[in-house]
Every structure is written in C-alpha cells, then in structure tokens.
Amino acid sequence: MLGKSVALNFILAVVLVACGGEARVARESFVGTRGTRFVVNGRPFYFNGFNSYWLMYMASEPLTKEKVTETFVQASEYGMNLARTWAFSDGGDRPLQKSPGLYNEDMFKGLDFVVSEAKKHGIYLILSLVNNWEGYGGKKQYVQWARDQGQNLNNEDDFFTNPIVKGYYKNYVKAVLTRVNSITGVAYKDEPTIFAWELMNEPRCESDLSGKSIQDWVAEMSTYVKSIDTNHLLEVGLEGFYGESVPGKKQNNPGGIEVGTDFISNNRIPQIDFTTIHIYPDQWIPGSNDEIQDEFVDKWIQAHIDDSKSVGKPFMVAEFGKSSKLSGYSVGARDKYFGKIFDRVYSCAITDGPCGGALFWQVMALGMENWSDGYEVVLERSPSTVGVISQQSRRISSLN
C-alpha cells in the first residue's frame, strides 16, 4: 500500500513543484484522519501490523541490525504494513538518552536505520516516546533524574505533574521530532513513513484515580507535540481503561481495574487524533477460563468501538497476544485467538466502523530466544499463525 502511495506522491510532486506547491506534497503523503477513518491521500487506509519494541536496540549494533531488515522483509511479505516500536531508551544499558538532554548518537543512528528500513519495505511506524514501566528507563528514570538534581519527589507518578520532569520530557520530545535522519536526510517530523507518535506506552497514575494528573499531562504534552509537528497523527498510548468522566463505563474495566486514565476524556483532547486499546485478558482476569476471556474480549472491543464513534475518532487495537507461558497454551489456541480479534476488527471496518486495524504483540527474530516474554511470534517458525495473519492482511487491505 505504501509503495502505491509513494508512486502517487511522486506524480503529485512533479505537478506541484512545477506550480510552486512543494509544501502541499509533503502534507498529502502523511497518514491523516477524516471523521472516524484513517486516510492517505484522501482515501481510506486500513492496516494489519505488529509490535516489535526491540528494533532500535538491535539496529544500533552492526552485528544485529540485519534482524531489523529481516523482520520488515518478512512482515511485508505477509502483507503487514504498520509496526509499533520504542523510540526511547532512558538511562541504563545502551541508552538513547544518557541523562536529560544528553543523547547517544549510536542509538539515534539505530533509530534512523529503523525508519529508513521501514520506508524501504513499505511499512509505517508508530513511535512511542516513553515507557510507563521500568523497562528502558520509563517514568521511574525521569523521576530519578529529577531527584538527582534535588527535587523532592514522592513517587514515580510525579512524572506527570513535576515541572522539572515535564521539562525533561519536552526536551526529549523535541530532540526526537526534530532529529534529521542520518541515512535519509529527512527530519522525523517531516517523514511520512512515521504513522503517528505515541505519548507514552500504557500510561498509568494510580496515585490519582480522579484522572486529573494524566488528563492535564496529555493536554499539555499533546499541545507541545503539535507545536513542533503538525504533519503526524498523535495518540496517547492507552490500554482502554475507563475513568471518572463517565463513571458508568467503569463497569467495563476488567476486575474493577482503575489506573488514573480515562478512555473517554483523554481521547476527547483535540490534539489526540485516534483511540487505542490493548487486550490482555490473561493478565487482567487471572485464573479465568477461555470462555470468560473470550466474552471479555468481545465486550471490550465493542465498548471501545462504540465510544470511538461517540468521540468521533478512528480506533486501533494497538496490542494483543497469547502467552505461551500460561497453562492451556497451544499454537492452535493462539491462531484461534488471533483470528477472533482479526474477525472483530474486519467486521467493524467493512461496516464503516472506526476500526483501522490491529497490531499483535509481538514479532521477534530468530536468535532472540533470551528476549522471550511468552507472546513472541517468530515468523519463520510459525507457519499456521502466519497464515492467519496473511489472511487478515489480504482482506483488510482490500478495503483500501
């Protein structure tokens, strides 16, 4: 799909450059939204894709960067056209951001390679800008950096409210968005291969269940991102939990979970362009059987389809998967589960619903066994799962 868009944009470029219209070409090549649909060049855009958080890490080392290329080649072969990955590594081993405002050029070049390889193989990217969790630094690292400078902070959730920490995050966002790719020569904010920015992977602020801390943070940071980059879409990184804006919706939260986010109010912020959910009934409803989990998945997806319509924005299943580390797992069970999610997404899309597509968690390359989290799909070793994925790619791309 991206290849066709690139070809069309080249033709448009020739015409518009002749008319002095270069700026309009760049805008028309980016993914956008129209009502509850994603669009490219004014036409509806549907996708099937995957998560691979590790791409930048592997790309930063000459001995492992080929895993990135191999992953994109295979994903493209199976019709996948969107990948979600981390554009952060804060402190710790092989950091992108060593300390506030101090960056590791080797890691940045790794991210450059991810973007350039995705572009070569017709795959769009969602780039996440920080982690809620401790992996790769996350909000805990930002808070620790502020403590090191004398800030008296109570817990990790001060990430969302402390002015010093928020300044660190804004500086990082600016560094990433204005980065000029060392391979393509294009600034990230001007790169059409980037589908969207994600403010944070799975934000949670359990010290403030009123939702105010995250609501204010999303409003502030989304405005800041858009002040630098008006080309790209922006999403929050939400798992989909409901909050206080519509208290009756909280009955949809599995096990009564509340985390300080609010699917309705967070996504109503004008600078947020589309909605997301994650789906992990195996984690959220521990000890439940397949029947209970399937029932939850149906209700979870449908509730967010309905509410995305109400908010008036497109909707994406940004993470889902089946863990091999849980009892009762089999590849057949995983295939059935993937098929179930894909069927719901396709059914929504084909009936003019807000669903643009789904991204499973996650693709890993051969030789990454020590990275296993139980949810990985190694494409070369998963022919039946690849068949399920390819079928979804074919049918959803037919809607483009």
Side-chain angles (χ1 to χ4, degrees):
M1 183 57 198
L2 182 57
K4 293 178 182 177
S5 297
V6 170
L8 178 58
N9 288 334
F10 176 77
I11 294 168
L12 286 168
V14 172
V15 175
L16 291 174
V17 166
C19 301
E22 296 92 334
R24 284 175 289 164
V25 168
R27 258 187 199 286
E28 289 190 7
S29 63
F30 290 87
V31 180
T33 64
R34 185 173 59 219
T36 58
R37 285 185 173 180
F38 295 101
V39 294
V40 173
N41 291 320
R43 296 177 59 84
F45 178 68
Y46 296 92
F47 50 84
N48 193 35
F50 63 99
N51 288 269
S52 284
Y53 73 86
W54 47 269
L55 295 173
M56 176 179 67
Y57 189 95
M58 288 295 179
S60 67
E61 281 290 328
L63 294 177
T64 55
K65 66 192 302 181
E66 76 277 0
K67 293 185 184 300
V68 174
T69 302
E70 291 167 3
T71 296
F72 286 146
V73 168
Q74 291 173 356
S76 180
E77 180 182 347
Y78 303 131
M80 289 183 274
N81 55 356
L82 178 59
R84 176 173 171 263
T85 193
W86 296 171
F88 59 80
S89 182
D90 300 306
D93 176 48
R94 213 184 295 178
L96 172 54
Q97 185 174 205
K98 300 177 182 178
S99 59
L102 183 62
Y103 306 109
N104 178 347
E105 182 63 15
D106 288 339
M107 284 294 276
F108 247 138
K109 286 181 177 178
L111 189 55
D112 293 344
F113 183 77
V114 171
V115 174
S116 66
E117 288 298 288
K119 188 181 187 77
K120 278 184 192 176
H121 298 288
I123 294 176
Y124 287 102
L125 295 171
I126 294 176
L127 298 180
S128 188
L129 294 166
V130 72
N131 207 355
N132 177 74
W133 311 106
E134 190 173 340
Y136 296 85
K139 65 184 182 185
K140 181 178 181 179
Q141 179 63 75
Y142 274 85
V143 167
Q144 186 57 51
W145 280 333
R147 284 175 174 150
D148 293 343
Q149 296 302 313
Q151 293 290 300
N152 183 22
L153 303 180
N154 295 320
N155 60 56
E156 297 171 18
D157 288 346
D158 287 332
F159 173 91
F160 299 106
T161 57
N162 179 266
I164 299 298
V165 176
K166 290 193 291 183
Y168 291 161
Y169 177 79
K170 285 181 177 177
N171 290 340
Y172 179 71
V173 166
K174 183 177 182 180
V176 174
L177 271 57
T178 60
R179 165 78 177 182
V180 176
N181 192 307
S182 60
I183 300 170
T184 66
V186 178
Y188 285 14
K189 65 185 180 68
D190 298 322
E191 176 53 73
T193 299
I194 297 172
F195 181 103
W197 302 108
E198 178 177 279
L199 289 178
M200 185 180 215
N201 173 51
E202 300 184 334
R204 293 187 177 192
C205 185
E206 289 164 279
S207 63
D208 181 8
L209 297 184
S210 75
K212 186 178 188 308
S213 294
I214 284 185
Q215 181 74 6
D216 291 349
W217 183 83
V218 171
E220 179 179 350
M221 297 310 166
S222 62
T223 299
Y224 183 73
V225 169
K226 293 288 188 173
S227 75
I228 298 171
D229 180 358
T230 58
N231 288 321
H232 288 106
L233 301 181
L234 179 64
E235 49 101 353
V236 182
L238 296 176
E239 298 161 275
F241 300 118
Y242 291 95
E244 291 299 323
S245 67
V246 186
K249 292 283 185 181
K250 291 193 290 184
Q251 65 182 354
N252 293 302
N253 292 351
I257 294 175
E258 292 185 59
V259 299
T261 58
D262 188 318
F263 183 83
I264 304 293
S265 65
N266 298 161
N267 283 311
R268 279 184 172 151
I269 291 171
Q271 292 78 18
I272 298 304
D273 295 300
F274 62 95
T275 73
T276 66
I277 62 168
H278 298 181
I279 310 175
Y280 290 108
D282 53 351
Q283 296 180 24
W284 297 342
I285 319 173
S288 58
N289 59 33
D290 288 346
E291 184 179 352
I292 291 173
Q293 292 186 19
D294 285 348
E295 182 181 357
F296 166 77
V297 169
D298 286 338
K299 291 181 177 178
W300 189 243
I301 293 176
Q302 190 59 51
H304 291 88
I305 288 172
D306 294 341
D307 290 324
S308 296
K309 287 179 185 176
S310 298
V311 171
K313 296 179 182 180
F315 163 67
M316 174 190 301
V317 177
E319 284 190 28
F320 72 95
K322 191 84 167 173
S323 176
S324 63
K325 296 185 177 182
L326 297 176
S327 62
Y329 171 85
S330 68
V331 172
R334 179 176 72 185
D335 294 348
K336 182 180 177 182
Y337 182 67
F338 276 36
K340 178 183 180 65
I341 303 291
F342 288 151
D343 285 347
R344 291 304 306 270
V345 168
Y346 179 71
S347 176
C348 171
I350 202 170
T351 55
D352 294 324
C355 299
L359 315 177
F360 66 88
W361 184 278
Q362 65 171 324
V363 169
M364 282 196 172
L366 285 171
M368 294 182 65
E369 288 78 11
N370 59 333
W371 290 62
S372 171
D373 63 357
Y375 291 92
E376 70 278 358
V377 177
V378 179
L379 297 173
E380 297 96 325
R381 293 178 176 169
S382 309
S384 63
T385 307
V386 162
V388 175
I389 294 165
S390 297
Q391 180 189 32
Q392 175 71 352
S393 296
R394 286 191 299 271
R395 63 180 180 172
I396 205 160
S397 66
S398 71
L399 304 178
N400 289 331

